[in-house]
Amino acid sequence: MGIGIHGETREDIQRIEMQGDPTHVPDDEAAPADKATPATNAGDAAADVQEENPTKKKTRKTTSDVWKHFARGPTQPDGSYYGICNYCSAKYLQGQQRGTSSMRNHIDKKCKKIPRNKPEALQKLLQAKTGDRDELVPWTFNQVKSRKCLAKMVIVHEYPFNCVTHHFFREFLCELQPSFKIPSRTTLRQDCMKIYEEEQVNLYEWFGQRVFSLVLDNASSNDACISELLYTTSIKDDLPVDGNIFHQRCGCHILNLIVQDGLTTVNKEIDCIRDLMKWIKHSQGRIEKFKLACSQANIPYKKPQWDVSTRWNSTYLMLELALELKPAFTRFASLDKKFPKTLSDSQWSIMKELVKHLKIFYEATFKLSGTKYPTLNLFFSEFCEVYLSIKRMSSSEYTFIVNMGTQMHAKFDKYWSKGNSLLAIACVLDPRCKLDVVQYYMEELCPAECEKFISNLKGCMFDLYNEYVQANAEQQASSDQNQPSKSSSTTTSDRKAGLKDYLKGKKGMTGHKTELEEYLDTDRDDASLDDDFDILCWWKMKVPRFPILAQLTRDILVVPISTVASESAFSSSGRVLSQVRSSLSDESIEALLCAQDWLRASIAETGKINGAPLWTIEEEDNNEEGQ
């Protein structure tokens, strides 16, 4: 007869299990070994234990995956036990009616020693293509960076601050990253102001470097500002050639003022065409009827447009379009009896002649307002061509063209006298022009002053060049002082050092040319002035030959001749200060406008968004539209 661990016989154990006696003590609470009935010998005891095992209550097997990170502790008297973290030894009580949620929360959020919670152990994600091959890079969520990206999006795309309260926008962000805590609109505004302040500091640091030139429009207040800046501050001491080439006037603004004065002689005809355009665009029914008129006149339909009174180039485009749509206007008058009276044949002839003369102004404005290439080197030749066109107006058979030329000539002379030598210097540094082009135009414009102008121009160029030579010499001397000194012992190669210095001096006295002299004496580049020519690339290739002159040219060509790009940055004020944002403070409007332009400039320079080339994003968008 087998004896149980607690002293009962096998029959007693079976009886207790069958009756379900609640007083039965579980196996986990077995009595101490010294109270058990000893076996007669070791062999009998082992046999008894093996015999008793089939009836012993088995421990429940753990199935949760959290036990991969936890160890089970000793069982307590009440049947509970502790789960112990394998990494930080944190304990969580477990037992009947106790789940594993607390342990799961620990390994997901609280445990700092678990390897998978470390950034370096994160799974690598596929990043956008940044080079010749795709790369796998580690990534981890960052709340601060995400909030900054959200603020940049609001600034650049002109979203309202309360966009963070929109239901589906919040739902979209939660689907992308549930861990992202969406800020309030007040916090979002503070983030935007912080970005503005950071970009403002960067701008001040950039201005703290050497300033070469300042381009402003032609308001008299700007002239006063430049005078005050030059003579009441120390900035003049750091400017090249004593600040004589510091102030530049916007070339496109000058052309606008010249043309606006000339257009006053034909305001009546321009107003008539403007009214025709507005009449047709007033309703969709008139537009459909105008399409029919175009079809009957056998000309392609083009959407009527009218101009902006302060932008003369838009007036040119309106007049050019009106001449193309002239047959449709005549046909439309027969379809719509209320259509305003169109121009007479003689007036249409006037408009045709006007557009022919304005074309050169439009092309010059378009070329000088570019932002993807240097423009300062183009201004002198374009401005002179405009002047020659104005002179040709005086010999026109149309009286209104002669009167227009007279008005334009007076305005041109006013700003020609205010020009400085930098415009001509930039033209000379264009390898397609050099002094030849400047001399050609000066002989056409004012032959009596040509020789004096060329002489003054050369003097200014050599003064500017010598300043760069001196600055480079000082920089080289400072660099040499930081180099370790060489041994002063005389070697065989130093025996004729004095002779070498003497011969070098003789060479300089007998015709050694500076970089500027050598550049001016060489032939012009064969590229045409009308062809696409990369002047920056040309000078980059010439750096070994003209190191100092190339540096000077780089500083000059970086100066824009137009303020169109900077003024257009603030043309979005109507969208920023809309009905949705009508309560914005002056501080917020300034921050949003300035930060928007600065951020867009940084995107334009890099051409990338978070490492992804912009052309890739645009290509994907086009593919989606095609599908």
Side-chain angles (χ1 to χ4, degrees), residues 359-379:
K359 184 176 182 180
I360 186 173
F361 291 88
Y362 174 79
E363 292 176 346
T365 302
F366 181 80
K367 185 178 294 186
L368 297 178
S369 59
T371 58
K372 303 297 183 182
Y373 52 85
T375 54
L376 190 66
N377 59 306
L378 306 175
F379 181 77

Side-chain angles (χ1 to χ4, degrees), residues 272-280 329 339-342:
C272 181
I273 292 179
R274 190 179 294 120
D275 292 339
L276 296 179
M277 296 289 190
K278 290 182 178 181
W279 174 270
I280 296 173
F329 286 138
F339 186 57
K341 184 179 180 182
T342 61

Side-chain angles (χ1 to χ4, degrees), residues 318-339:
M318 181 188 70
L319 298 178
E320 187 179 47
L321 177 61
L323 289 174
E324 296 180 17
L325 298 177
K326 175 187 173 183
F329 286 138
T330 305
R331 187 60 186 167
F332 187 82
S334 62
L335 298 176
D336 189 344
K337 301 301 181 183
K338 296 182 179 180
F339 186 57

